[in-house]
Amino acid sequence: MTIITEFETIIVCRQILELRFKGGWAAWLKKFSMEDDGELSRISAMSGHDIAGTERKIQKLGLLPPKINDTTYQYRDYFIYAMEYNPYEQMNLAPAYPDWLIWNASLMETMSLFEIDKLPLGTVKGSPARPTFDFNSKVTIT
């Protein structure tokens, strides 16, 4: 199943939560999750301030922060898809999503509005202007 994004969104994967997050997947689902597909989960907030606060909380609960080098802000244990909260911009760095995450182009990048409008009712989940995400089961998580 595909995970959508709403407003400011943090996406995490089950395997990393089981490895590092206090209480594992079950604790995440109970405390944070707004949607999950069994492998990925997300939490969304309406403001960048709120998602930044959530990021601080999940780091305190065991998830690793992004790795920063001269050119890249590499997300590792989670990924933030946001319009407001983009800390890498302040450092003039390019964001990089984790290898366990597959970024699917938005419908508007691959279809015309006419084609989207003709899709069967219920086909479009979330905003057609936003990407969706899937779990990359081909990676080994350590």
Side-chain angles (χ1 to χ4, degrees), residues 25-33:
W25 179 252
W28 171 269
L29 292 179
K30 188 174 182 180
K31 283 186 154 184
F32 293 99
S33 184

Side-chain angles (χ1 to χ4, degrees), residues 112-129:
S112 71
L113 289 175
F114 179 77
E115 291 170 316
I116 294 169
D117 188 50
K118 296 295 180 194
L119 291 171
L121 204 57
T123 302
V124 178
K125 183 179 174 191
S127 169

Side-chain angles (χ1 to χ4, degrees), residues 26-96:
W28 171 269
L29 292 179
K30 188 174 182 180
K31 283 186 154 184
F32 293 99
S33 184
M34 297 176 83
E35 174 188 31
D36 80 272
D37 67 0
E39 291 297 332
L40 295 179
S41 177
R42 73 164 171 90
I43 182 169
S44 298
M46 291 185 74
S47 77
H49 175 77
D50 291 344
I51 213 70
T54 301
E55 180 182 31
R56 286 188 298 275
K57 286 178 192 171
I58 65 175
Q59 287 176 0
K60 286 179 183 175
L61 291 169
L63 296 187
L64 299 175
K67 186 175 183 180
I68 299 168
N69 66 31
D70 292 340
T71 59
T72 309
Y73 193 87
Q74 177 66 58
Y75 286 99
R76 299 182 287 174
D77 282 2
Y78 58 89
F79 178 70
I80 298 178
Y81 181 84
M83 298 296 158
E84 278 183 29
Y85 179 63
N86 298 305
Y88 52 85
E89 287 180 352
Q90 297 168 349
M91 298 179 241
N92 291 323
L93 298 174

